[in-house]
Amino acid sequence: MNVDDVVRERIERARLKAEAEKLRRAELAAARRRGLAARHAAKLRALAERGLDLVPRDHLNNSSPAASGA
């Protein structure tokens, strides 16, 4: 085994390690997104069970004057 073979092996190991880290980061990001979506859905369910609206119904009309009075 000569120096070129050793260097080639080290480069290959580094490439495999980088690919594994990239995959690991992608899997963690996907899990994070799923967890966030699940927490958001649970929060919305809890609000709905309490009968709370996300948007107050009295703010749906646009007939009130602006704060500046314009």
Side-chain angles (χ1 to χ4, degrees), residues 11-51:
I11 291 172
E12 182 63 18
R13 279 196 307 265
R15 185 185 64 76
L16 291 174
K17 181 180 176 184
E19 285 180 12
E21 283 296 314
K22 185 176 181 180
L23 178 62
R24 180 179 161 272
R25 285 191 304 272
E27 289 171 349
L28 287 174
R32 193 176 309 114
R33 283 190 299 273
R34 284 191 304 272
L36 182 60
R39 287 190 303 276
H40 185 67
K43 180 179 179 180
L44 292 178
R45 276 193 304 275
L47 289 173
E49 287 172 2
R50 292 186 204 141

